[in-house]
Amino acid sequence: MSQNNTAAARVLPPEELIKQQEFARECAELLRQRFGEDHALLALVHSYGCQQNTSDGEKLMGMLAEMGFGFTETPADADLILYNTCAVRENAEVKVFGNVGELSHLKKARPELLIGLCGCMMQQAHIADKIKRSYPQVDLVFGTHSLPQFPELLLETLRRGKRVFRVEDSAGVIAEGIPVRRTPGVKASLPIMYGCDNFCTYCVVPLVRGRERSRRPEDVLKEAREIADAGFKEITLLGQNVNSYGSGLPDGMRFPELLRKVSEVPGDFWVRFLSSHPKDCTKELIDTIAECPKVCNHIYLPVQSGSNRILKRMNRHYTVEWYKELIAYARERIPGVMFTTDLIVGFPGETEEDFMQTLKLVEEVRFASLFTFIYSKREGTAAAKMDDPVPKEEKSRWFSMLLDAQRKIGAEHYRGYVGKTFRVLCDGRSPLGLTGRTEFNAVIDFPGDASLIGQFVQVEVVRADKHNLSGVVRSAD
Ligand code: SAM
Ligand code: SF4
């Protein structure tokens, strides 16, 4: 079902990166003048939305660290606040406007405070215009395509003392070598591709993140080795549709091979990936998961709807039968494999009958977890022009029915785990002592010593409540 016709992506020339490093040094000088020689600069970078955005946020922090910034999560302590925004649903945008509004009193009290907005929401001209008109406290706005030029844009803001807006239309580039400040912990994300060419009719991503483009395998593998050497225990490969990785790359490496190679990087870590579009999910990929012990036996495969009529209107290019066949094949090849999916409720023109088919699919597949969303109209998408006669209350009723069904399934899964022992990556503390996740992302709390944080341990589940699992350590891994 794959259609791979993407041309080779434009890679940002290394000279451009060197130029940006020079701009970062000039920023550091002007920031010292603005805040004082002895002032310890602090930045707050908040990324809304998906893991791709969080990963971009780590690059923005890398660039800020080069300018001499440390980091804070308290707006009142920050000298620079940067919100890396999300445009996928309207409520994400509403949240950003609310949070930016709240910054006006900080800016009034400290006019030297720098406030910037970037990311998917800012890539839309109508949003950038609204910020220009109605949010004078914002100094700098730039879209997703201008992320590599952040030092240059900040320098312009500092030099001119005027507001800077940069929203460029572009197919997107690949920028290697931007410094990354990874969030400390046990998990790291690793983008393998950017953008999307699928144009699902409800989705704004192709409009704000540009055309699909894959990083070169050697760059991905180099970064995977760095992450493993730094001691991270989980690597998540990121892309809007990782299954179409490699389109347009000269050596033609495809996702299953890349996944295998990442899992062959020396070290004890798990490998995950997201998202995986069902139309491009091949048996070869499922076989690779089965054969690579480091790849988690957990597949995140967003189905969006259980109705073929709606899938067609969504431009998803697969059927429910195709999806169920994939699930059946994976269950045959990978004993114990679990699935997570995304579902949209109330897509334009969806009927009660369509919704019931979604509910039926959820009951049949018995997902480990669901991400459910009420359809949100996005400007510029094909679905925004479709008739949407179903009242909000009806959509909310369907949404609650879906949550109830999944709650019941989740509780049944949890009860079935009691008495079983799982490999768990211990990632923090809990009221019981420690907490960790299984490879299918179930959270288990258990008593234990803090020295286990960051380690794999074998934990037997001894109790299951509706939302919690508790266990005891059976052995270090
Ligand atoms: N590329 C991924 C895929 O195809 O599965 C998903 C990326 S999207 C950022 C994450 C999820 O947001 C989608 O799977 C979809 O369920 C949801 N989503 C996207 N656009 C939406 C919209 N307009 N309204 C509601 N949910 C939406
Ligand atoms: Fe959006 Fe579809 Fe692309 Fe996923 S595959 S990012 S849902 S257009």
Side-chain angles (χ1 to χ4, degrees):
M1 282 207 177
S2 178
Q3 336 135 328
N4 293 312
N5 50 10
T6 318
R10 191 169 84 77
V11 177
L12 205 70
E15 309 83 79
E16 174 67 26
L17 200 73
I18 295 168
K19 231 169 70 187
Q20 294 303 326
Q21 284 162 348
E22 183 51 41
F23 291 136
R25 277 190 287 277
E26 286 183 51
C27 281
E29 185 50 44
L30 292 186
L31 286 161
R32 269 196 297 276
Q33 288 173 21
R34 187 180 181 106
F35 292 99
E37 286 292 330
D38 300 326
H39 180 77
L41 290 169
L42 284 177
L44 181 157
V45 177
H46 182 77
S47 293
Y48 297 76
C50 68
Q51 292 203 27
Q52 192 79 62
N53 238 22
T54 307
S55 168
D56 285 351
E58 292 180 342
K59 289 188 180 133
L60 292 162
M61 288 201 272
M63 292 188 257
L64 286 165
E66 276 197 332
M67 297 172 201
F69 279 96
F71 296 92
T72 177
E73 288 181 7
T74 312
D77 293 343
D79 305 303
L80 179 147
I81 296 176
L82 187 56
Y83 287 159
N84 182 23
T85 61
C86 167
V88 170
R89 282 169 294 277
E90 193 187 359
N91 55 8
E93 295 191 343
V94 170
K95 208 189 288 172
V96 169
F97 283 125
N99 293 354
V100 177
E102 283 167 18
L103 296 180
S104 66
H105 67 279
L106 283 182
K107 183 78 175 173
K108 265 191 205 121
R110 282 181 67 212
E112 72 277 21
L113 168 68
L114 293 158
I115 299 177
L117 301 178
C118 61
C120 293
M121 197 174 152
M122 298 306 130
Q123 189 59 41
Q124 306 169 100
H126 69 281
I127 300 278
D129 285 348
K130 179 167 171 180
I131 298 288
K132 203 180 255 176
R133 278 195 319 273
S134 313
Y135 294 82
Q137 65 270 40
V138 176
D139 302 290
L140 169 62
V141 166
F142 58 99
T144 49
H145 299 308
S146 306
L147 182 143
Q149 282 80 36
F150 171 51
E152 181 177 353
L153 297 172
L154 183 59
L155 183 63
E156 201 181 325
T157 315
L158 290 164
R159 269 193 192 143
R160 284 176 45 191
K162 280 195 186 150
R163 310 170 78 200
V164 171
F165 285 74
R166 171 91 61 98
V167 181
E168 278 179 353
D169 206 9
S170 156
V173 295
I174 297 214
E176 295 296 347
I178 295 180
V180 177
R181 185 186 180 273
R182 293 191 194 285
T183 313
V186 296
K187 299 168 192 187
S189 50
L190 171 45
I192 62 168
M193 58 199 296
Y194 305 99
C196 182
D197 285 351
N198 285 312
F199 292 95
C200 301
T201 52
Y202 50 82
C203 185
V204 77
V205 169
L207 310 182
V208 292
R209 283 199 168 263
R211 301 285 54 79
E212 179 187 299
R213 50 211 188 271
S214 299
R215 292 178 72 192
R216 293 181 314 177
E218 54 271 36
D219 294 323
V220 173
L221 292 169
K222 178 171 166 277
E223 200 171 335
R225 283 190 289 273
E226 286 164 6
I227 292 172
D229 289 348
F232 287 96
K233 296 291 180 187
E234 188 176 295
I235 304 179
T236 302
L237 307 181
L238 292 182
Q240 294 301 343
N241 175 13
V242 290
N243 299 336
S244 57
Y245 173 82
S247 314
L249 283 178
D251 52 6
M253 187 186 289
R254 307 317 310 263
F255 184 58
E257 192 184 343
L258 182 78
L259 185 62
R260 192 179 292 276
K261 286 192 183 298
V262 170
S263 77
E264 284 165 1
V265 166
D268 188 15
F269 55 87
W270 274 339
V271 184
R272 299 181 185 276
F273 55 90
L274 57 97
S275 300
S276 211
H277 195 307
K279 82 176 160 66
D280 297 315
C281 182
T282 57
K283 291 192 171 161
E284 187 195 354
L285 173 61
I286 292 170
D287 293 343
T288 307
I289 301 169
E291 287 155 19
C292 297
K294 285 186 199 166
V295 179
C296 289
N297 290 346
H298 178 216
I299 309 180
Y300 177 41
L301 199 58
V303 65
Q304 313 299 355
S305 171
S307 153
N308 285 337
R309 194 180 75 84
I310 295 298
L311 287 174
K312 196 149 192 232
R313 284 168 68 82
M314 287 176 163
N315 195 31
R316 290 290 286 181
H317 295 283
Y318 54 84
T319 61
V320 178
E321 292 71 29
W322 161 272
Y323 188 83
K324 287 201 287 194
E325 261 176 49
L326 279 176
I327 301 270
Y329 182 75
R331 286 196 163 135
E332 189 188 307
R333 288 288 284 119
I334 314 168
V337 67
M338 298 293 275
F339 297 89
T340 291
T341 202
D342 289 359
L343 288 166
I344 297 178
V345 173
F347 182 79
E350 184 169 341
T351 62
E352 173 112 22
E353 194 186 331
D354 293 313
F355 169 71
M356 285 303 172
Q357 289 173 18
T358 298
L359 199 58
K360 184 163 163 255
L361 182 71
V362 165
E363 279 159 357
E364 273 175 44
V365 176
R366 301 178 60 76
F367 294 97
S369 50
L370 295 183
F371 293 101
T372 40
F373 310 103
I374 294 189
Y375 168 75
S376 167
K377 185 173 173 175
R378 305 286 63 212
E379 195 168 316
T381 61
K385 296 187 201 87
M386 296 179 188
D387 274 351
D388 189 6
V390 179
K392 241 166 94 186
E393 301 68 39
E394 185 71 341
K395 294 185 180 191
S396 300
R397 187 174 69 81
W398 294 345
F399 188 73
S400 306
M401 282 168 77
L402 205 50
L403 293 191
D404 286 347
Q406 183 60 25
R407 245 178 242 129
K408 205 165 140 251
I409 293 165
E412 283 163 12
H413 279 314
Y414 271 25
R415 279 199 296 279
Y417 300 151
V418 176
K420 291 193 175 139
T421 299
F422 296 98
R423 189 174 199 228
V424 164
L425 175 54
C426 179
D427 57 7
R429 294 174 193 274
S430 72
L432 207 58
L434 300 175
T435 188
R437 280 174 190 267
T438 65
E439 61 187 306
F440 47 90
N441 269 331
V443 177
I444 311 182
D445 293 345
F446 51 94
D449 187 85
S451 62
L452 291 179
I453 296 174
Q455 309 285 324
F456 288 106
V457 274
Q458 296 288 337
V459 176
E460 182 185 333
V461 176
V462 293
R463 213 180 108 173
D465 299 332
K466 261 192 201 150
H467 306 293
N468 285 312
L469 293 171
S470 359
V472 287
V473 175
R474 284 301 171 218
S475 66
D477 197 49

